[in-house]
Amino acid sequence: MNSKLKLDQLNIHFGAAQAVKNVSLDFPANTVTAIIGPSGCGKSTVLRSINRMHDLTPSARVTGRVLLDDADIYDRKVDPVAVRRRIGMVFQKANPFPAMTIYDNVISGYKLNGRVKKAEMDEIVESSLKRVALWDEVKDRLKTSAMALSGGQQQRLCIARTVAVQPEVILMDEPCSALDPIATLKIEELIDELKEQYTVVIVTHNMQQAARVSDFTAFLYLGELIEFDVTKKIFTNPAKSQTEDYITGRFG
Amino acid sequence: MTEHLVTQFDTDLNEIRSKLLEMGGKVEKMIHDSMKALVERNTELAESTIEYDHEINRLEVEIDELCLEALVQRQPAARDLRFITMAMKIDTDLERIGDKCRNIAKRARELNELPPLKPYIDLPQMADLAAAMVNDALTAFVRWDDQLAYTVCHRDDEVNLLNEQIQGELLTFMIKDPGTITRAIKINAIARHLERIADHATNVAEMVIFMVKGKDVRHLGIDPK
């Protein structure tokens, strides 16, 4: 399979502490990969390194390579803003811009590209909201505040904002942990649709969710990659006893 | 294997395990008793064996219920998932063995009313083999012993061979003296039931292999690796 994204001997330090140890991973194009592991295992740290979120943390040091289409996003010539345009991110808590309308929220990222015509913006907003199955619910109130939406709708709005920029990879950091089961199922259904167009990497604490939405699963423990395999294999018959112990609830 | 963080889960799994063992023990008893009822022409034992099948049916229902509860409450993965799903399949095979024993006991009851056709030698041997296969399959289940499970699968051939032998012998009886046909057909049915019991034991063994190795060996021809 074609790999879209590749971690090559990734090491991440915060000051003297090493959070991620020599992790190498391949993310095939148009697939969903779940990263699982107990709290503090480094899964969010790995995810954040993929769109250079650690650049803003002075104590953070990232070594190794993160290859997007075989080009290292940590190369000195690469602009982190350009990286984030190609690799979007959705966070645990829905974070729409509170002072903006639904419409402005969706288009906010896209507008950073420069001057955009009104008709183009309308089209982007509509297609992005349709993409996340939110259009029918909000099309009559695009100019109202995003904060009036429910938690699940806000999260889909944030995904629409990410999608509007037309990225190639979408990173999701526990996107459903603040949502009720119905909203969770809607996001999961959406993830399944998103992979037709994007490569998705999701960090989740919910192992059933990982089993449901992902094609591949990586298990991290104490900053190390313990096992990476097809999701079905990981959850029915993992190769490593540490993976087995974790997913069967023998430690955590 | 270390214990679960939720110790109640271990308790639940142990209950499923011990109920399956109880069921296996009772099924073995049914195999032996139905055969004893035939060989010793003991109709009373045949009757009680037919009655005993309710016990097996009850255990099947109880085990399925426990497994369903565990699936809903724990959403198990990996070895726990394989254990619970295989337990649900194994109890079905054990229940079917119970049915076969009940049928053997019914045929024994009928044969006991008729003059003996011949001394029973091969049938008890078949029953012993089949019962040992059930026993070993369940031992393999409890010990997570895939190698023992493989030996069970291999022993199915011996039972099949005995079945063919008995069928040939009965055919000779029937050709020589059509007056033996009624009895020969009943004895033939018993041999076929025993042969099916060995097949069910093989199914159980195959499930044990899946449970231990995560590898589906059904319908492939068994190869212990």
Side-chain angles (χ1 to χ4, degrees), chain A residues 17-33:
Chain A
Q18 186 167 7
V20 173
K21 296 170 191 165
N22 218 24
V23 169
S24 294
L25 262 177
D26 259 16
F27 302 93
N30 302 101
T31 60
V32 179
T33 300

PDB file of all heavy atoms in Angstrom, chain A residues 17-33:
ATOM      1  N   ALA A  17      13.348  14.913  29.752  1.00  0.00           N
ATOM      2  CA  ALA A  17      12.473  13.730  29.691  1.00  0.00           C
ATOM      3  C   ALA A  17      12.170  13.336  28.249  1.00  0.00           C
ATOM      4  O   ALA A  17      11.828  14.177  27.425  1.00  0.00           O
ATOM      5  CB  ALA A  17      11.175  14.017  30.427  1.00  0.00           C
ATOM      6  N   GLN A  18      12.320  12.038  27.990  1.00  0.00           N
ATOM      7  CA  GLN A  18      12.028  11.561  26.641  1.00  0.00           C
ATOM      8  C   GLN A  18      10.608  10.992  26.597  1.00  0.00           C
ATOM      9  O   GLN A  18      10.296  10.007  27.274  1.00  0.00           O
ATOM     10  CB  GLN A  18      13.035  10.484  26.214  1.00  0.00           C
ATOM     11  CG  GLN A  18      12.835  10.071  24.764  1.00  0.00           C
ATOM     12  CD  GLN A  18      13.995   9.258  24.220  1.00  0.00           C
ATOM     13  OE1 GLN A  18      14.904   8.875  24.957  1.00  0.00           O
ATOM     14  NE2 GLN A  18      13.959   8.998  22.917  1.00  0.00           N
ATOM     15  N   ALA A  19       9.746  11.616  25.792  1.00  0.00           N
ATOM     16  CA  ALA A  19       8.331  11.211  25.759  1.00  0.00           C
ATOM     17  C   ALA A  19       8.066  10.186  24.669  1.00  0.00           C
ATOM     18  O   ALA A  19       7.175   9.345  24.789  1.00  0.00           O
ATOM     19  CB  ALA A  19       7.447  12.430  25.537  1.00  0.00           C
ATOM     20  N   VAL A  20       8.854  10.262  23.587  1.00  0.00           N
ATOM     21  CA  VAL A  20       8.651   9.339  22.470  1.00  0.00           C
ATOM     22  C   VAL A  20      10.002   8.766  22.078  1.00  0.00           C
ATOM     23  O   VAL A  20      10.975   9.510  21.897  1.00  0.00           O
ATOM     24  CB  VAL A  20       7.979  10.057  21.275  1.00  0.00           C
ATOM     25  CG1 VAL A  20       7.915   9.149  20.061  1.00  0.00           C
ATOM     26  CG2 VAL A  20       6.581  10.532  21.655  1.00  0.00           C
ATOM     27  N   LYS A  21      10.071   7.425  22.009  1.00  0.00           N
ATOM     28  CA  LYS A  21      11.361   6.772  21.799  1.00  0.00           C
ATOM     29  C   LYS A  21      11.410   6.019  20.481  1.00  0.00           C
ATOM     30  O   LYS A  21      10.791   4.962  20.339  1.00  0.00           O
ATOM     31  CB  LYS A  21      11.629   5.800  22.955  1.00  0.00           C
ATOM     32  CG  LYS A  21      11.765   6.493  24.293  1.00  0.00           C
ATOM     33  CD  LYS A  21      11.781   5.475  25.428  1.00  0.00           C
ATOM     34  CE  LYS A  21      11.654   6.212  26.764  1.00  0.00           C
ATOM     35  NZ  LYS A  21      11.310   5.311  27.854  1.00  0.00           N
ATOM     36  N   ASN A  22      12.089   6.580  19.539  1.00  0.00           N
ATOM     37  CA  ASN A  22      12.444   5.856  18.330  1.00  0.00           C
ATOM     38  C   ASN A  22      11.249   5.192  17.631  1.00  0.00           C
ATOM     39  O   ASN A  22      11.300   4.016  17.310  1.00  0.00           O
ATOM     40  CB  ASN A  22      13.460   4.769  18.713  1.00  0.00           C
ATOM     41  CG  ASN A  22      14.515   4.636  17.642  1.00  0.00           C
ATOM     42  OD1 ASN A  22      14.741   5.597  16.883  1.00  0.00           O
ATOM     43  ND2 ASN A  22      15.136   3.492  17.541  1.00  0.00           N
ATOM     44  N   VAL A  23      10.214   5.968  17.432  1.00  0.00           N
ATOM     45  CA  VAL A  23       9.006   5.415  16.826  1.00  0.00           C
ATOM     46  C   VAL A  23       9.059   5.542  15.305  1.00  0.00           C
ATOM     47  O   VAL A  23       9.268   6.629  14.770  1.00  0.00           O
ATOM     48  CB  VAL A  23       7.747   6.123  17.376  1.00  0.00           C
ATOM     49  CG1 VAL A  23       6.506   5.751  16.555  1.00  0.00           C
ATOM     50  CG2 VAL A  23       7.531   5.763  18.845  1.00  0.00           C
ATOM     51  N   SER A  24       8.891   4.422  14.624  1.00  0.00           N
ATOM     52  CA  SER A  24       8.784   4.439  13.165  1.00  0.00           C
ATOM     53  C   SER A  24       7.437   3.832  12.785  1.00  0.00           C
ATOM     54  O   SER A  24       7.071   2.769  13.282  1.00  0.00           O
ATOM     55  CB  SER A  24       9.906   3.619  12.524  1.00  0.00           C
ATOM     56  OG  SER A  24      11.152   4.230  12.779  1.00  0.00           O
ATOM     57  N   LEU A  25       6.708   4.528  11.941  1.00  0.00           N
ATOM     58  CA  LEU A  25       5.354   4.088  11.574  1.00  0.00           C
ATOM     59  C   LEU A  25       5.040   4.529  10.157  1.00  0.00           C
ATOM     60  O   LEU A  25       5.442   5.613   9.742  1.00  0.00           O
ATOM     61  CB  LEU A  25       4.337   4.770  12.497  1.00  0.00           C
ATOM     62  CG  LEU A  25       3.773   4.038  13.709  1.00  0.00           C
ATOM     63  CD1 LEU A  25       2.853   4.972  14.479  1.00  0.00           C
ATOM     64  CD2 LEU A  25       3.020   2.803  13.304  1.00  0.00           C
ATOM     65  N   ASP A  26       4.270   3.684   9.467  1.00  0.00           N
ATOM     66  CA  ASP A  26       3.805   4.020   8.119  1.00  0.00           C
ATOM     67  C   ASP A  26       2.306   4.204   8.137  1.00  0.00           C
ATOM     68  O   ASP A  26       1.601   3.322   8.630  1.00  0.00           O
ATOM     69  CB  ASP A  26       4.092   2.835   7.184  1.00  0.00           C
ATOM     70  CG  ASP A  26       5.319   3.087   6.354  1.00  0.00           C
ATOM     71  OD1 ASP A  26       6.077   4.006   6.712  1.00  0.00           O
ATOM     72  OD2 ASP A  26       5.511   2.366   5.358  1.00  0.00           O
ATOM     73  N   PHE A  27       1.821   5.304   7.599  1.00  0.00           N
ATOM     74  CA  PHE A  27       0.368   5.491   7.511  1.00  0.00           C
ATOM     75  C   PHE A  27      -0.030   5.420   6.046  1.00  0.00           C
ATOM     76  O   PHE A  27       0.245   6.353   5.289  1.00  0.00           O
ATOM     77  CB  PHE A  27      -0.040   6.842   8.095  1.00  0.00           C
ATOM     78  CG  PHE A  27       0.377   7.039   9.530  1.00  0.00           C
ATOM     79  CD1 PHE A  27       1.585   7.662   9.829  1.00  0.00           C
ATOM     80  CD2 PHE A  27      -0.424   6.595  10.563  1.00  0.00           C
ATOM     81  CE1 PHE A  27       1.978   7.847  11.146  1.00  0.00           C
ATOM     82  CE2 PHE A  27      -0.036   6.776  11.881  1.00  0.00           C
ATOM     83  CZ  PHE A  27       1.168   7.400  12.178  1.00  0.00           C
ATOM     84  N   PRO A  28      -0.659   4.318   5.627  1.00  0.00           N
ATOM     85  CA  PRO A  28      -1.030   4.194   4.220  1.00  0.00           C
ATOM     86  C   PRO A  28      -2.083   5.238   3.826  1.00  0.00           C
ATOM     87  O   PRO A  28      -2.907   5.632   4.649  1.00  0.00           O
ATOM     88  CB  PRO A  28      -1.619   2.782   4.132  1.00  0.00           C
ATOM     89  CG  PRO A  28      -1.168   2.080   5.349  1.00  0.00           C
ATOM     90  CD  PRO A  28      -1.008   3.124   6.399  1.00  0.00           C
ATOM     91  N   ALA A  29      -2.031   5.684   2.574  1.00  0.00           N
ATOM     92  CA  ALA A  29      -2.967   6.694   2.082  1.00  0.00           C
ATOM     93  C   ALA A  29      -4.390   6.171   2.135  1.00  0.00           C
ATOM     94  O   ALA A  29      -4.647   4.981   1.931  1.00  0.00           O
ATOM     95  CB  ALA A  29      -2.608   7.074   0.653  1.00  0.00           C
ATOM     96  N   ASN A  30      -5.330   7.068   2.431  1.00  0.00           N
ATOM     97  CA  ASN A  30      -6.764   6.735   2.463  1.00  0.00           C
ATOM     98  C   ASN A  30      -7.109   5.586   3.401  1.00  0.00           C
ATOM     99  O   ASN A  30      -7.904   4.714   3.074  1.00  0.00           O
ATOM    100  CB  ASN A  30      -7.276   6.429   1.051  1.00  0.00           C
ATOM    101  CG  ASN A  30      -7.051   7.596   0.127  1.00  0.00           C
ATOM    102  OD1 ASN A  30      -6.108   7.596  -0.661  1.00  0.00           O
ATOM    103  ND2 ASN A  30      -7.873   8.597   0.261  1.00  0.00           N
ATOM    104  N   THR A  31      -6.454   5.601   4.547  1.00  0.00           N
ATOM    105  CA  THR A  31      -6.806   4.641   5.593  1.00  0.00           C
ATOM    106  C   THR A  31      -6.944   5.413   6.903  1.00  0.00           C
ATOM    107  O   THR A  31      -6.525   6.569   7.000  1.00  0.00           O
ATOM    108  CB  THR A  31      -5.719   3.568   5.804  1.00  0.00           C
ATOM    109  OG1 THR A  31      -4.510   4.217   6.186  1.00  0.00           O
ATOM    110  CG2 THR A  31      -5.492   2.742   4.556  1.00  0.00           C
ATOM    111  N   VAL A  32      -7.537   4.766   7.882  1.00  0.00           N
ATOM    112  CA  VAL A  32      -7.608   5.335   9.220  1.00  0.00           C
ATOM    113  C   VAL A  32      -6.683   4.515  10.111  1.00  0.00           C
ATOM    114  O   VAL A  32      -6.781   3.293  10.148  1.00  0.00           O
ATOM    115  CB  VAL A  32      -9.043   5.277   9.788  1.00  0.00           C
ATOM    116  CG1 VAL A  32      -9.090   5.844  11.204  1.00  0.00           C
ATOM    117  CG2 VAL A  32     -10.016   6.010   8.877  1.00  0.00           C
ATOM    118  N   THR A  33      -5.773   5.199  10.787  1.00  0.00           N
ATOM    119  CA  THR A  33      -4.899   4.511  11.736  1.00  0.00           C
ATOM    120  C   THR A  33      -5.208   5.025  13.131  1.00  0.00           C
ATOM    121  O   THR A  33      -5.249   6.241  13.352  1.00  0.00           O
ATOM    122  CB  THR A  33      -3.419   4.774  11.420  1.00  0.00           C
ATOM    123  OG1 THR A  33      -3.155   4.299  10.097  1.00  0.00           O
ATOM    124  CG2 THR A  33      -2.510   4.046  12.405  1.00  0.00           C
TER     125      THR A  33
END
